[in-house]
Amino acid sequence: MNDSLQVVAYCCQHCAYAAADLAGGLRLQYPPALRVVMLPCTGKIDVLLLLKAFEDGADGVMVAG
Amino acid sequence: MSKICATSKEKDDSLIGAVMVVGGGIAGMQASLDLAEQGFKVYLVEQKSAIGGHMAQLDKTFPTNDCAMCTISPKLVETGRHPNIQILTDTEVQNVTGQVGAFTVAVERKPRYIDTSICISCGDCAKVCPVIIPDEFNEALSNRHAAYKLYPQAVPNAFAIEKRGIAPCRDACPAHQRAQGYIALIHDGRWEDALRVIKLDNPFPGICGRICNHRCETACNRSQVDEPINIRALKRFVTDKIYSEPRPPVERVEIKSPDHPVAIIGAGPCGLTAAQDIIKAGYPVTVFEAMPVAGGMLRLGVPEFRLPAEIIEREVADIIDLGVDLRLNSPVSNLDDLFAAGFSAVLIAVGAHEGVKLPIPGANLDGVLINTRFLRDVRLNRYERGTDGSIGITDGKPFGPNVLVLGGGNVAIDVARTAVRLGCKVSMACLEDRAAMPAHAWEIQAALDEGIVIYNDRTFEAILGDPDDRVKGVECMSVKSFSFDETGRLNVEKDPDSNHIIPCDTVIFSVGQRAGLAFIPEDAGVGLTGKKTIAINPNTFAATRPGVFAAGDSVSGTSFVIEAVDSGHKAAESILFYLQGEALERPPKPELTVVNLTRQEIDERIRRGELTRQKRIPMPEMAVGERISNFSEVEGGYDDDAAQQEAARCLACGVCSECMSCIFACGVTAIDHDMSSRQEEIQVGAVILAPGYQIYQAELSEEFGFGRYKNVISALQFERLLSASGPTMGHVQRPSDDQAPKKIAFLQCIGSRDQNHDYCSAVCCMYATKEAVIAKEHQPGLDVHIFMMDMRAYSKGYWSYFVRARERYGVQYHRSRVSMIHEDPLTNDLLLQSVDDNGVASEDRFDLVVLSVGMEISESVRSLGRRLGIELDEHGFCHTVAFNPLETTRPGIYAVGPFREPKDIPESVIDGSGAAGAAATRLSPARFSLTVSPEYPPEQDVSGMEPRVGVFVCSCGSNIGGFLDVSAVAEYASGLPYVAHAECNLYTCSQDSIRHIAEQVHEYELNRVVVASCTPLTHQPLFQDSVRMAGLNPYLFEMANIRNQCSWVHSNDNPIATQKAKDLVRAAVARAALLEAQHTVDVPVQHAALIVGGGVAGMTSALALADQGFAVHLVEKDAVLGGNLRNVTALSAGFSGNPELDPAKILADLVLKIEQNSSIHLHLQTQVINNSGFMGNFISILQAANGTRIELQHGATILATGGVEYRGPEYGYGTDERILTQQEFESLLSHPMPEIRSVVMIQCVGPAEEFCSRICCTTALKNAIRLKMINPDAQIVIFYRDIRTYGFKEKLYTEARERGVLFVHYEAENMPQVTSKDGYLVVKGWEPRLGCELEIAPDLVVLSMPVVPRPDVRELATMFKVPTDANGFFFEAHVKLRPVDFASDGVFMAGMAHYPKLIDEAIVQAQAAAARAARILCRETLTAGGRVAVVDASKCTGCLTCVRICPFNVPKIRADLSGVGGIIGAAYMETAICQGCGSCVSECPGRAIQLMHYTDNQMMAKVNALINPISLEVRRS
């Protein structure tokens, strides 16, 4: 993946965020483009947040929970 | 914290408000949390280094396929952080004395070697640990280090060191050298680290590597296998390796106590060791040495060919360079002079430099020399060779060339071999025979090799001289025998007339040495012993004169260098105590366990292939011809390969090798290798035993080849293979070749339902199904076969899960028990022999076989049971009685989880809550007597202030700092808008850093704090606490996860990781600047419970709460209490006539207790018609049959409305009175029986074809056995799909078969038919084993109708706003971990309304529901607020979107609120019950709702700053 890309990953703190932490614990390597934003629940995701990320220049948005 | 209240129960000081929970698995954690939340102090005792139990090992859980770790992890964190739960890891309960209410528990706290309160879990210790052992968390499928964390998410979040004890090599060494440690490091190729650990105990490794008598090797366990490890050679190897490089400079020690100088007399190994220790403690040291060189006997008494001078000089220099003042040629003649010169203490460490001559005639002739003097002169090069072959001494007379050495010890050999090298012809004579010579055998051999003649068994009568008084020979006699008497005097029996002369021209006495003490004046006040050594206190090395100490040869006579080192250390320690004015006598150090491997263990390791026989690697040696003409070193050393090969032979007896690498690696000094086991006594009011199970050791069933065939694994191993955090990262691989298997077989009932196990392990059918499904999800196309007897899919959701596995995933099930497995030795494939339902034998080939191992109770748990005096069954399970299912035979001690009976996670969780409820009921007067709440300073109001953000960037040792530039991140942060301060910390979470953050908040007047470190999931509460301690609101805190989500995942690219860390910090700062304080409010609680349903569950819950003093409203629709218990006439647990087990009597007792309890308000013939409110403050309206209504306020609700037996038309029910249900049949059995000769039972009737009603098999078997007991000749045939007698119910199945009950299996396509013909009932069914149709004409047909929900359950559910499942049973908040809770807070369930269950199961769930309710009822107020949704009514249109979307039923439309444009009715969120998920916020079309702490502007600022580096700067300008 191109290093200059920016992907915002909205993650639920209970599962996907913990999984991202575990990936670190296991020293799995992934592209630095991925930046995780923790949410209390993926239910908190709304269109505004998704679009805002694109508006700010994100190349991709991921929701995991 | 919410406020607490004392319940109406009076305080009772004799009760202790604490409970001990033994076992930190899921049941133990649940019990702990429920007790702590009910106001009790909890001690959670765990044998391992972390809590979590077996559930933490699982990949997924059935039937929801939830990730096990994801669901257990929040529980782990909650347990670990609870202020009133004290987790005691590495701890075992020894015994319990006293009685309920006031027990004393003796526990053994085993050493962990890492202080959990200091450890910050960075893992640096494990990184440097050279020991590699099987990882038991991964079921030995991978390895780990001796320094380890049990698993990544472990709680306590700290490492531990596994140490079995000290290795025998270390134990045998006088200086306690950690030989296993440097051997492990040599194996790892870490030469410098190896030398470092040697030098910790011994400053003379090069010397000891050559001349030590290596008692370590004598003690070495490896000698039981072949030969001991060549430890001395390995030590020498390390020094050779390092010393081949120039000596690095030594840093001088800072002298902290210049006023207390210490004098040491003698620069030998003892004196120099002491000098090193004392100067390192900061005291000045002067060493006085009489000789022109340092090193003592090493330098002057050991020949060069054994110990080269350069080695000694290097090791001496390492000590002197610390700053020791060494004065050579400085004999001390007077102790008073030293004290007069200002020395505070003196250590006499002179060596045994004085040789001894025997008082025989001729001993003073010319040509008679003494060993020590001879060796010293040679080493000082004070000789020259004469032309006649004699040797001249620079200041003495010449000697040689025919030398006779008198003596047979090691020194005599050194003397003789030295003389050989001077060109002499050398003989030796000694008293002893060859075998008894004191010299080591290999030394004697070396002497013989060099041509030395040894005369054994000789006395020395006289030395004969020639007329010039020059030696011409020694007159000897032959010795028959000799001995020493009690005073040490020699008695020799000589051979009469054996006088003879050994000719020689030089005699060298080598019969012993002693210390040269002539300098000590008689009146110096230092006493001597009879052996002319200095008298000392052996514990303190103090001589009789204060301030004078003595050690080494001067007190012990001659000894080995390693002993001199040891006494040097000890004397130094004592001198330091003396200088510090402390007592010299110290209590003895605790005895350390020495690991002596047993023959059995060694054989086992050989059998497992961990160990192969291999003799020691030989040391190269110089040939005799080459060596006798010079003083070059005779012995060569290992090269790298040889050393590593030799090191690989080490058995690592102690597990931890004590190489001390971790000590040097640990940045927070959390490690202490000297920790020892300690005993503690803990006072508690009750004890809950949750010790869990162990899996069956499948190697015992040899026919399956577990342990022999690599590709036969246990189900728990398979679980680890499936786990993403497991040894293969979730890729299923065959252990033999790491290839993905294509065909897998699961074998059920391994260690269950067999000759040795009369019980069913209750979980294996489901976990095998789950593992099969997950494996197929990982690898579509995988062929999975499960060989089983019955599919025990007996609980909620299990049957549909099984059907899905079979039909959707194509898992193939075979009703067949595999008798034997063979391995194909070429492919490691496995050949299974089995017989199918039709009796046809077949053999199948599989890539991998998984054994579904059952549950057992470990020997250590059985032993615990015996020590506690509680009754266990023959398998070690703790049976309890049906109506008090959680209490052991010892009142006040409870048993939960699989320790009672094999069971699954939700039932274990229910047990945990239930036991917490039972203990709380006993101890309620002592509630809140031992709990604590944290105290904080007043909170500063920062609203309206300009943000001043402090950023703390953590290095996490090298975990972050090693992969990205933390100072660059901190520097970058300091330039960001609003940042008032930024800094780096080595470990931001260490105790001193936590204090430091609070200090910096004051120093820089910070009002927001950002920590850039690890993950908020584990560390945010800790930092928030720190912020709160600094007087800031805890919500003014934000974290940037630059470790788990940055340094660790981009560890190959430092610049990129640094850049990303900067981005993450920038985003955190952007959000932090917008954070606002969040305040909580206290909401009062109504201390009453509403319980709906007066069956056994409702009554049990009612009593449990009422006995704690809470008001209970028990509502029952019928006119009488009892529910389904009224239909039960015998218990499956026993129908032996025991009145304790008589359901009718028990029901009567329960009803009586209810009626007599003044806290219980009984509402019979009453229904709830309305319910509103929220946790802590519900309002319900009850309506009695006569129409009267009352309104109640209550803090909690328990729904225990039960179920009913299904009555449908299947199999002709209702058309013939001889067709009964099981309940009707049971009722019939309790009355005088008509003569019933023949009964057919049919299982799984009606709705039970679609879900398993759990209890019908047990009930059917109970009834069948009862009929057989009444009428043994009765013929009973049971048509079944699977007999689901889980757990101990299996015994009923066995008993029924033994009594002659016949079982006929049917499948859905072959269901039995019931008809009537000529007035007879006729049952037809296919008998698969016989392969024919059966036709039976029974007296009765009994149908196992399932339990189904009450018809009005949906109405009830709607009223209480709680969900039901597809079958109409109440739907719990989480199938595994919240099995008694509804998703809505404050509402709980118990009994058959949740799912069909047996009476004991209903009682446990009722106790659990009471415990969950008591968590609320025991509090004066509940805390609400923080991260909650808040509605801006002025934007609300009352559209109900939030009401529909909320999973917790929180939003309400309140008519008293005005919405947008003033319309009536707007949404309202009760903060007390809002879970803060934010779902309503994102759905609200009017954007009328905000989630506090996650507001739109905070989130958008964060995302914007995350992506856009300039945004923040722009905004600031």
Side-chain angles (χ1 to χ4, degrees), chain A residues 21 29 34-35 43 46 56, chain B residues 1015 1041 1060 1063 1482 1487 1504:
Chain A
D21 282 345
Q29 304 290 304
L34 194 80
R35 280 103 208 273
D46 57 30
D56 289 335
Chain B
T1015 168
N1041 188 337
K1060 181 167 166 184
D1063 296 348
S1482 54
R1487 302 208 74 78
N1504 184 266

Side-chain angles (χ1 to χ4, degrees), chain B residues 1252-1326:
Chain B
C1252 174
S1253 173
R1254 188 177 169 111
I1255 63 172
C1256 324
C1257 283
T1258 304
T1259 309
L1261 293 174
K1262 173 185 79 174
N1263 291 340
I1265 292 169
R1266 280 179 82 191
L1267 177 60
K1268 277 283 191 184
M1269 288 168 81
I1270 297 162
N1271 180 6
D1273 294 331
Q1275 188 198 55
I1276 305 171
V1277 179
I1278 301 181
F1279 284 86
Y1280 73 98
R1281 294 196 302 189
D1282 299 277
I1283 293 294
R1284 298 199 177 133
T1285 44
Y1286 54 95
F1288 298 146
K1289 273 65 88 177
E1290 176 71 8
K1291 295 178 186 182
L1292 287 177
Y1293 188 22
T1294 308
E1295 184 181 346
R1297 289 198 313 262
E1298 281 168 2
R1299 288 182 183 271
V1301 177
L1302 301 176
F1303 291 85
V1304 180
H1305 172 71
Y1306 74 88
E1307 289 287 346
E1309 61 274 14
N1310 256 331
M1311 295 196 9
Q1313 308 291 323
V1314 180
T1315 51
S1316 117
K1317 194 166 104 185
D1318 305 333
Y1320 292 102
L1321 285 173
V1322 175
V1323 181
K1324 287 183 192 166
W1326 177 256

Side-chain angles (χ1 to χ4, degrees), chain B residues 894-1180:
Chain B
Y894 301 90
V896 301
F899 182 40
R900 283 205 301 127
E901 184 172 355
K903 58 169 68 75
D904 183 20
I905 293 166
E907 283 143 10
S908 297
V909 171
I910 296 174
D911 273 13
S913 291
T921 305
R922 280 273 170 89
L923 303 176
S924 65
R927 201 189 286 279
F928 292 116
S929 61
L930 294 174
T931 49
V932 293
S933 326
E935 299 216 347
Y936 294 109
E939 210 173 279
Q940 189 195 347
D941 181 7
V942 303
S943 57
M945 288 182 188
E946 171 84 358
R948 289 180 62 79
V949 183
V951 180
F952 298 84
V953 183
C954 184
S955 288
C956 195
S958 61
N959 282 293
I960 298 172
F963 304 104
L964 56 86
D965 185 347
V966 282
S967 28
V969 174
E971 200 189 319
Y972 174 77
S974 67
L976 291 172
Y978 306 117
V979 173
H981 173 67
E983 64 173 55
C984 292
N985 318 103
L986 186 58
Y987 297 105
T988 309
C989 63
S990 68
Q991 286 166 336
D992 49 343
S993 296
I994 287 287
R995 275 193 299 275
H996 175 72
I997 291 175
E999 286 160 15
Q1000 299 299 74
V1001 166
H1002 296 301
E1003 172 81 25
Y1004 293 96
E1005 295 176 354
L1006 306 176
N1007 51 28
R1008 308 285 193 285
V1009 172
V1010 169
V1011 171
S1013 62
C1014 49
T1015 168
L1017 296 190
T1018 55
H1019 280 65
Q1020 179 151 305
L1022 178 73
F1023 292 127
Q1024 280 187 311
D1025 200 58
S1026 168
V1027 166
R1028 181 66 193 85
M1029 286 309 268
L1032 290 179
N1033 183 280
Y1035 288 87
L1036 300 171
F1037 174 80
E1038 170 75 339
M1039 267 179 99
N1041 188 337
I1042 63 166
R1043 188 185 74 177
N1044 299 45
Q1045 297 179 8
C1046 188
S1047 71
W1048 278 351
V1049 292
H1050 311 308
S1051 52
N1052 302 325
D1053 196 333
N1054 188 308
I1056 278 189
T1058 305
Q1059 184 54 51
K1060 181 167 166 184
K1062 287 178 185 174
D1063 296 348
L1064 294 174
V1065 168
R1066 187 178 61 237
V1069 168
R1071 177 168 179 242
L1074 298 173
L1075 288 176
E1076 290 166 7
Q1078 301 299 325
H1079 295 284
T1080 54
V1081 291
D1082 289 337
V1083 182
V1085 169
Q1086 298 294 331
H1087 304 295
L1090 170 70
I1091 298 174
V1092 186
V1096 65
M1099 287 192 286
T1100 302
S1101 290
L1103 283 170
L1105 289 172
D1107 284 346
Q1108 299 179 49
F1110 301 117
V1112 175
H1113 294 275
L1114 180 58
V1115 178
E1116 169 57 48
K1117 202 162 67 167
D1118 284 351
V1120 288
L1121 291 168
N1124 278 305
L1125 184 54
R1126 282 182 288 154
N1127 301 321
V1128 178
T1129 60
L1131 293 180
S1132 58
F1135 17 78
S1136 53
N1138 177 355
E1140 292 301 311
L1141 296 177
D1142 175 6
K1145 178 179 181 304
I1146 288 155
L1147 174 57
D1149 287 351
L1150 263 178
V1151 171
L1152 188 66
K1153 277 188 200 159
I1154 295 278
E1155 287 168 352
Q1156 289 178 341
N1157 195 313
S1158 60
S1159 295
I1160 298 178
H1161 306 277
L1162 187 56
H1163 307 275
L1164 292 174
Q1165 286 183 290
T1166 301
Q1167 295 192 59
V1168 183
I1169 57 163
N1170 191 283
N1171 173 264
S1172 61
F1174 53 89
M1175 172 172 72
N1177 289 282
F1178 291 109
I1179 299 168
S1180 294

Side-chain angles (χ1 to χ4, degrees), chain B residues 264-524:
Chain B
I264 293 175
I265 305 169
C270 173
L272 289 176
T273 301
Q276 171 200 266
D277 291 359
I278 293 169
I279 197 163
K280 279 187 170 173
Y283 293 88
V285 178
T286 306
V287 177
F288 295 91
E289 171 57 52
M291 293 291 146
V293 290
M297 288 301 286
L298 300 172
R299 183 67 177 77
L300 299 173
V302 181
E304 174 85 14
F305 66 86
R306 290 184 57 208
L307 183 54
E310 62 187 39
I311 303 283
I312 306 169
E313 281 161 8
R314 179 172 179 138
E315 294 185 341
V316 169
D318 277 351
I319 296 172
I320 300 305
D321 288 0
L322 293 169
V324 173
D325 179 6
L326 172 66
R327 299 195 189 165
L328 300 173
N329 298 309
S330 304
V332 173
S333 56
N334 189 323
L335 286 185
D336 291 338
D337 289 350
L338 293 178
F339 284 110
F343 287 103
S344 299
V346 177
L347 173 65
I348 302 169
V350 293
H353 282 278
E354 291 200 351
V356 180
K357 277 184 183 178
L358 293 175
I360 56 171
N364 292 321
L365 287 172
D366 269 356
V368 178
L369 307 179
I370 297 176
N371 55 353
T372 51
R373 187 62 193 257
F374 170 73
L375 290 171
R376 183 199 308 168
D377 288 345
V378 173
R379 286 231 72 176
L380 292 173
N381 294 324
R382 292 167 62 191
Y383 68 87
E384 55 197 27
R385 191 182 289 260
T387 50
D388 55 353
S390 68
I391 309 298
I393 303 283
T394 47
D395 57 351
K397 290 178 181 171
F399 70 90
N402 292 311
V403 174
L404 177 64
V405 180
L406 302 183
N410 285 323
V411 179
I413 301 246
D414 281 351
V415 168
R417 294 177 71 188
T418 299
V420 166
R421 281 159 177 77
L422 293 176
C424 300
K425 187 170 173 298
V426 184
S427 323
M428 297 176 68
C430 63
L431 196 60
E432 302 88 357
D433 64 21
R434 184 67 54 86
M437 281 173 70
H440 292 136
W442 59 88
E443 299 272 355
I444 297 168
Q445 191 56 48
L448 293 171
D449 289 346
E450 292 173 9
I452 294 163
V453 176
I454 302 176
Y455 300 100
N456 293 99
D457 307 311
R458 310 301 160 114
T459 65
F460 316 132
E461 299 295 320
I463 301 172
L464 307 175
D466 64 10
D468 296 336
D469 280 350
R470 290 183 57 89
V471 171
K472 66 170 188 182
V474 175
E475 182 185 349
C476 300
M477 287 180 76
S478 299
V479 174
K480 283 177 86 171
S481 66
F482 71 92
S483 60
F484 293 94
D485 68 10
E486 289 159 1
T487 61
R489 189 186 297 274
L490 178 66
N491 294 314
V492 184
E493 190 190 341
K494 304 171 192 174
D495 208 351
D497 304 325
S498 63
N499 296 54
H500 58 283
I501 293 168
I502 302 174
C504 61
D505 53 32
T506 304
V507 169
I508 307 178
F509 274 106
S510 189
V511 292
Q513 299 98 271
R514 65 170 176 249
L517 303 178
F519 67 89
I520 301 174
E522 291 281 313
D523 59 355

Side-chain angles (χ1 to χ4, degrees), chain B residues 101-167:
Chain B
F103 287 118
T104 299
V105 186
V107 296
E108 182 182 3
R109 313 273 328 260
K110 299 206 165 142
R112 180 188 181 104
Y113 307 105
I114 294 183
D115 186 335
T116 52
S117 68
I118 303 175
C119 176
I120 46 90
S121 197
C122 66
D124 286 345
C125 51
K127 257 183 249 165
V128 296
C129 179
V131 178
I132 293 174
I133 51 171
D135 182 351
E136 80 265 37
F137 190 78
N138 277 336
E139 294 292 313
L141 289 171
S142 65
N143 292 322
R144 66 159 166 83
H145 295 283
Y148 73 107
K149 189 154 85 168
L150 197 58
Y151 53 98
Q153 304 85 345
V155 168
N157 186 16
F159 278 67
I161 292 173
E162 182 167 339
K163 196 192 298 192
R164 196 171 156 189
I166 62 168

